Amino acid sequence: MSNYGMKVSLPGKSITSTDARDYLLWSKYKPLKTYITGTVNYTMPSEAKSQTCFTIATVTHNLGYLPLVVLFWQTGSLSSGAYWEAYNGLSESAYSTILPAAGVNDFKIQYFYDILVSGSGNTGLAGTQWTFTYYIFIETGELS
Amino acid sequence: MANYGAKVSRAGYDVKTAADHQLLWSSSFPTLTVAFTGVLASGANFQHGLGYEPVFLAQGYGSLSGGFGSIDYTDQQPRVSVDTDKIYNEMPDTIRYYIFFRAIRTSYTAPVVNTTAISQSAVSQDYGFKVSTEGVNVKTATLANLVSFSGLSLAGQAVRQVLVHQQGYEDNIGTTSTKTYNHSLGYKGLFFAYRRIHGQSKYYIVYTRSDIQIPPGSITFVYRTSMSSSSLTLTKSSDTDTTDFAYIIFKDQF
């Protein structure tokens, strides 16, 4: 079978190179492709919860398979301004956890915490403003 | 020297005036090309044999959330890693991994051609640029089997390949340190970060490690990566190791 397709090399790199790192596009290989990206603003609830996993937001993607996802978060509760922080899962033994949860047709941002959010004398995270940015990729995240 | 090459804009954007991050691709900017993907059982490894530590992503099942995306880990840090030869799953569960043809230890800054975003026009006709992967009919290929596609996703957003803007790495960072790496995007860009214990071979993805201390509301971070419109910052506190750190920043905008 003939070897045909499309190749675009990067600046200064030969189009005859056999190193895939030298190419922007080579039809032999797929690039990482974003499908949906977005931002969610959220205020942490004031009611006390314990051992609870609840959904902050649900994004419908309807891909029909589990996609690769990446989630970032930012909280205004920290001093010196707000930051975006890479976040894609956390130990289940932690006190507080942001959980990205991709499904076959939707993606949930979930929050699990094992502490009382509010109470007498505790500042907690209640009322704090959080912002999440998510990337849902076309590439599958299926485990089979 | 003349500026020549090829570029394709995304649906609804004029290729002559689109900002860098509004392009589907440009021969001026590298992208992340998938070298290998697969599934690894707990304790298993896969030999990529690339001869360099590759940029990678991984995800698994989170028993707390009941969904996929979380990587469970011990010591509050993810336990999926790469060296110059293999990728390792040290998690208690199966993971899906992606290995890319791009070295973690790369110093690179893309040219900034245009950061002024333009408005997206309505897409009234289905035309553009589409390349399928080997052996797949371009007329019937699914999005997953396209190498490049300038059109819209089923969700109405433009499908795009992530474009690399900047990479860098620094070795032997102290146990308590703040390192700032400036970029010229003028906005917050998508990024991934990797670390390894100095003197060891395996790079791990950096996810912010946090402890919500008792009483509630006190947040302590050990590793913290944060992006602003001008820089990426690594903050380490109370760590027991010196660290090699690497990052990759994309033109994709938060």
Side-chain angles (χ1 to χ4, degrees):
Chain A
M1 183 177 180
S2 301
N3 182 12
Y4 59 88
M6 182 170 182
K7 291 163 75 174
V8 179
S9 65
L10 291 169
K13 302 298 182 182
S14 171
I15 198 65
T16 60
S17 170
T18 57
D19 188 342
R21 291 176 294 176
D22 292 341
Y23 290 90
L24 160 72
L25 186 155
W26 187 344
S27 55
K28 184 176 180 179
Y29 302 108
K30 300 177 196 177
L32 181 65
K33 301 179 290 293
T34 57
Y35 184 67
I36 298 176
T37 182
T39 299
V40 173
N41 296 307
Y42 185 76
T43 302
M44 281 296 174
S46 59
E47 64 273 26
K49 293 180 184 293
S50 179
Q51 296 280 353
T52 298
C53 184
F54 65 91
T55 298
I56 292 171
T58 300
V59 178
T60 300
H61 60 72
N62 284 334
L63 282 168
Y65 57 85
L66 295 172
L68 183 68
V69 298
V70 172
L71 178 67
F72 294 79
W73 64 275
Q74 171 195 27
T75 174
S77 65
L78 301 174
S79 61
S80 305
Y83 302 92
W84 294 100
E85 318 229 11
Y87 204 105
N88 200 21
L90 185 63
S91 168
E92 296 180 0
S93 65
Y95 295 118
S96 176
T97 302
I98 301 292
L99 297 170
V104 174
N105 289 306
D106 62 24
F107 166 66
K108 292 183 172 63
I109 302 170
Q110 297 187 313
Y111 187 71
F112 170 84
Y113 60 109
D114 192 16
I115 57 171
L116 294 177
V117 175
S118 67
S120 176
N122 293 331
T123 56
L125 298 174
T128 55
Q129 302 298 310
W130 295 62
T131 303
F132 301 91
T133 290
Y134 56 87
Y135 286 79
I136 302 172
F137 297 99
I138 290 175
E139 282 64 38
T140 183
E142 295 274 2
L143 296 185
S144 59
Chain B
M1 184 177 178
N3 183 15
Y4 59 89
K7 63 180 180 179
V8 178
S9 62
R10 293 189 268 125
Y13 296 98
D14 186 336
V15 69
K16 296 186 296 298
T17 53
D20 296 348
H21 64 275
Q22 294 174 318
L23 298 174
L24 174 65
W25 56 261
S26 164
S27 56
S28 295
F29 313 132
T31 186
L32 280 190
T33 302
V34 178
F36 305 100
T37 184
V39 173
L40 269 183
S42 175
N45 62 75
F46 168 76
Q47 186 173 31
H48 59 75
L50 291 171
Y52 54 85
E53 299 96 343
V55 173
F56 72 97
L57 290 174
Q59 73 179 35
Y61 177 72
S63 58
L64 271 179
S65 65
F68 294 82
S70 299
I71 298 181
D72 201 358
Y73 52 86
T74 58
D75 301 324
Q76 298 189 335
Q77 281 294 304
R79 292 296 175 185
V80 179
S81 61
V82 295
D83 59 21
T84 58
D85 190 47
K86 294 179 180 177
I87 182 168
Y88 303 87
N89 178 16
E90 299 161 51
M91 311 294 284
D93 298 297
T94 300
I95 62 161
R96 158 72 64 173
Y97 64 86
Y98 281 85
I99 295 173
F100 302 100
F101 285 118
R102 191 84 189 160
I104 286 175
R105 294 178 65 84
T106 299
S107 295
Y108 170 78
T109 301
V112 177
V113 178
N114 184 12
T115 57
T116 303
I118 61 174
S119 300
Q120 185 178 20
S121 302
V123 179
S124 58
Q125 298 183 40
D126 184 12
Y127 62 91
F129 182 83
K130 188 158 77 167
V131 179
S132 62
T133 193
E134 285 187 337
V136 178
N137 187 330
V138 70
K139 294 190 289 291
T140 57
T142 62
L143 289 175
N145 282 323
L146 291 177
V147 171
S148 193
F149 177 58
S150 64
L152 299 176
S153 69
L154 294 176
Q157 293 192 8
V159 173
R160 64 181 191 266
Q161 298 156 210
V162 294
L163 303 177
V164 178
H165 173 69
Q166 184 171 322
Q167 279 187 268
Y169 61 95
E170 183 172 354
D171 293 342
N172 207 15
I173 297 172
T175 54
T176 299
S177 300
T178 298
K179 295 289 184 179
T180 300
Y181 306 97
N182 295 322
H183 64 75
S184 54
L185 286 172
Y187 55 80
K188 299 169 188 172
L190 172 66
F191 69 97
F192 305 142
Y194 302 89
R195 68 165 186 102
R196 68 181 177 189
I197 296 173
H198 184 67
Q200 296 188 5
S201 62
K202 293 180 181 178
Y203 270 101
Y204 296 81
I205 291 180
V206 175
Y207 295 142
T208 291
R209 168 182 165 177
S210 65
D211 294 298
I212 308 294
Q213 302 292 332
I214 298 297
S218 170
I219 301 175
T220 302
F221 296 94
V222 176
Y223 295 104
R224 182 175 169 190
T225 51
S226 52
M227 168 65 73
S228 73
S229 60
S230 62
S231 63
L232 173 66
T233 300
L234 168 70
T235 304
K236 288 182 61 182
S237 60
S238 305
D239 193 14
T240 57
D241 302 306
T242 56
T243 302
D244 297 342
F245 177 73
Y247 65 88
I248 180 166
I249 300 171
F250 302 94
K251 289 191 181 282
D252 298 68
Q253 188 175 20
F254 267 45

